[in-house]
Amino acid sequence: MAALTAVPVTGAAGVADLAAAAVAAAGGGDTAPCGPGYALVVFNGDASPHTVTIATPGTRNGLAIADATLVVAAGDTGVIALTNDFRGANDRAAITYNSVTSVTVAVLQMKGA
């Protein structure tokens, strides 16, 4: 798994070219920082839809929490918040893809001004 680095987004500067900040999704999956203010952006440049799965290792009230899935349509962009629900033993979210053909990703960290 590749370790994704968050791109800081500040109130003063923002991110002018998010697509340029994206990296190729790793075939074996990626890990990313998670918690308040983090989000995963998925760009699907393929002619087919792709499913992104984020493992949810914890429980709530003793019950397993289902993994989160995001289906990104062909040629579209998807965003999902990387909440603390996705925090694994290494303090990072574990992300997998049904295919990485023409898929790039970026992790955003929203920061105050």
Side-chain angles (χ1 to χ4, degrees):
M1 292 190 144
L4 300 174
T5 302
V7 175
V9 179
T10 64
V15 174
D17 191 353
L18 184 56
V23 297
D30 291 311
T31 66
C34 55
Y38 287 97
L40 176 69
V41 181
V42 181
F43 300 93
N44 180 6
D46 197 17
S48 299
H50 290 297
T51 302
V52 178
T53 302
I54 305 173
T56 310
T59 61
R60 188 164 284 145
N61 296 321
L63 302 173
I65 304 169
D67 291 345
T69 57
L70 174 67
V71 178
V72 183
D76 210 348
T77 302
V79 179
I80 187 167
L82 294 175
T83 66
N84 280 321
D85 289 335
F86 303 120
R87 187 175 303 282
N90 62 358
D91 286 336
R92 294 177 67 85
I95 305 159
T96 56
Y97 315 93
N98 73 318
S99 173
V100 294
T101 303
S102 300
V103 175
T104 57
V105 294
V107 176
L108 302 180
Q109 180 184 18
M110 308 306 268
K111 295 185 170 201

